[in-house]
Structures are given as C-alpha cells and as structure tokens.
Amino acid sequence: MVQFTNVEFAYPDHAFAMSIPGLSVDDGQHVAIIGPSGSGKSTLVNLIAGALVPQKGSITTCNTKLTGLDDAARRRFRLKHIGMVFQEFALLDYLNVRDNILLPYRLGALAMPADASERADKLAQSVGLDRHLKRHPQQLSFGERQRVAICRALVTAPSLVLADEPTGNLDAATTNEVMTILANCVKASNATLIMVTHNTELMDRFDRTIDVTQFEAAAQR
Ligand code: ADP
C-alpha cells in the first residue's frame, strides 16, 4: 500500500529534514501518525500523497511509484486513489453539501460516473447528513462539516484516506462521533486510513502508530 525506501527529504532553504530508511503500511490498516508540533507529520502525509517529492529514495503508494512521476501525473494519481480530510474541513461555502461531496469530480482529472450523485447521497445518508444535502457549510456545525469532508474523501472510492488532524477543531464528544464515522466509512470501502493526530485518547482506535520523531534528520545545508 505504502512503501518508503531510503527516503531523504528536506525543504529547500529550511533547516528541517527527514530520513526514512524504510516504512511500509499494509492494505486496510488504520495507522496514526504522531509526534510533537513541527516534527514532520504533515510532511510525511504530503510525501505519501505525492504532494512533496523527496530528494532521494523511492515512495510507492497504492501500487504506484510516485518518485519518477511528473507533477501532473502525481496530481492525477492523488485525485484518483487518495481521499483527503483536513483539520479546517476545506469545504467550499458557495457549494451545497451534495456539490461539496462531489467536488473531486469537478477538479478536472476524473470523469464523473453516472452513479456519482447517488453514491454521494448514500454516503451522506450513512453519516446522517441526508437532511442537509441542500444546505451550505456555514449552516452546519463543525462536526457536520467534517462529516461532509469525510463523504467527499470517500466519494471516489479511494484505496487510501489521508487525514491531517481531522478532529483538531472538534470538542471531545464530536471527536469521538467523527472518528467512529471516519473509521466505519473507511472500513466499509475497504480502504486504508493514515491519520495525523495529537490526541492520545484516540490511539487505541488504530492498528498501529508511526512516531515521526524517529525520522528527524540533520539538514544538509
Ligand atoms: P507537523 O505536521 O508535525 O506539525 P510539519 O510537517 O508541518 O510538522 O513541519 C515540519 C517542519 O517543516 C517545521 O519546522 C515546519 O516549519 C517546516 N515546514 C513545513 N512546511 C514547510 C514548507 N512548505 N517550507 C519550508 N518549511 C516547511
């Protein structure tokens, strides 16, 4: 599912660098990425997604070797195979819930299948949003907004869902509710979940944790 081999990454003109000799995540696993702020969690997620490219080594995600693909090919790969959930939800206020869920199909790289709308509605129903399909994000609670984002991440039936602090803006009760929904939706679509979190209370919901502090490296300047 995800395989890193001898990966070295540094931001240009920045003292932060990561060295990842080997890392693999199996199909269907639910993995938490942990580490203090600034330790490289988002960087690791972006490397897995092919949004960042290492200076050395190889990264294979969902059976595709990302290192070696150009920017456009990696973007197409991302839209097709990966669902993303963010802390700030990243919903578009001028679109209603149904159109926000269908957003991955409006970004140009994927043809909208005939049953996409039906699939969006079914996903919304599975997370209890069916009454809200015509509403806009600002008319929803934060927990409801994150449920829309979870549906959007899953509408293309991706094999990998990457979530970066998806409960960071939610209170404890809503965190539990959204985590249960996220894990259930990912399981129902036989996907893999890789999620950044600070929340130690969520750890026992995952098959394993990856502590990124082990990958800290001295930057070559
Ligand atoms: P975390 O997700 O664990 O908080 P990040 O992966 O966001 O950590 O960041 C790791 C380090 O890389 C930090 O020192 C951060 O300032 C730096 N960093 C993050 N993004 C960039 C960037 N686009 N350019 C330069 N440095 C960055």
Side-chain angles (χ1 to χ4, degrees):
M1 163 54 58
V2 174
Q3 180 71 51
F4 280 48
T5 310
N6 297 327
V7 167
E8 306 278 342
F9 172 81
Y11 288 105
D13 304 321
H14 193 275
F16 181 79
M18 294 179 93
S19 173
I20 308 171
L23 173 68
S24 57
V25 175
D26 293 338
D27 282 344
Q29 274 193 328
H30 286 204
V31 177
I33 298 180
I34 60 167
S37 188
S39 59
K41 300 181 297 298
S42 297
T43 304
L44 180 61
V45 164
N46 285 322
L47 287 167
I48 293 170
L52 289 172
V53 181
Q55 282 78 14
K56 286 189 194 153
S58 79
I59 298 175
T60 299
T61 301
C62 309
N63 299 320
T64 302
K65 190 171 169 190
L66 298 180
T67 35
L69 295 183
D70 64 20
D71 284 0
R74 278 184 282 106
R75 183 171 180 275
R76 272 197 306 278
F77 161 83
R78 231 177 357 264
L79 282 168
K80 188 151 186 238
H81 296 284
I82 298 183
M84 303 280 294
V85 184
F86 305 95
Q87 178 170 355
E88 309 287 346
F89 321 125
L91 302 174
L92 297 181
D93 281 342
Y94 62 89
L95 294 179
N96 66 25
V97 166
R98 181 185 279 125
D99 289 335
N100 264 291
I101 294 174
L102 289 168
L103 193 64
Y105 291 116
R106 297 176 198 273
L107 300 176
L110 297 178
M112 175 126 56
D115 67 346
S117 245
E118 196 186 321
R119 187 174 158 76
D121 289 4
K122 273 202 185 128
L123 277 165
Q125 193 178 11
S126 74
V127 303
L129 282 176
D130 35 332
R131 287 181 301 111
H132 298 328
L133 281 164
K134 294 260 171 65
R135 289 202 187 179
H136 287 252
Q138 63 271 38
Q139 297 170 301
L140 302 175
S141 70
F142 278 14
E144 288 166 342
R145 289 180 208 192
Q146 200 55 302
R147 285 191 258 159
V148 178
I150 290 168
C151 295
R152 179 187 56 191
L154 286 155
V155 75
T156 56
S159 40
L160 173 62
V161 174
L162 292 176
D164 198 345
E165 297 267 14
T167 62
N169 279 337
L170 307 177
D171 61 36
T174 315
T175 289
N176 276 320
E177 186 186 292
V178 163
M179 267 316 296
T180 300
I181 285 170
L182 176 61
N184 288 347
C185 286
V186 169
K187 275 219 163 71
S189 50
N190 287 321
T192 302
L193 174 65
I194 299 180
M195 175 176 141
V196 170
T197 182
H198 271 112
N199 190 339
T200 48
E201 285 173 21
L202 299 178
M203 291 310 144
D204 55 4
R205 289 173 175 264
F206 293 89
D207 299 316
R208 64 185 266 225
T209 57
I210 296 172
D211 182 344
V212 290
T213 54
Q214 67 184 301
F215 303 134
E216 269 172 36
Q220 308 287 313
R221 308 196 79 190

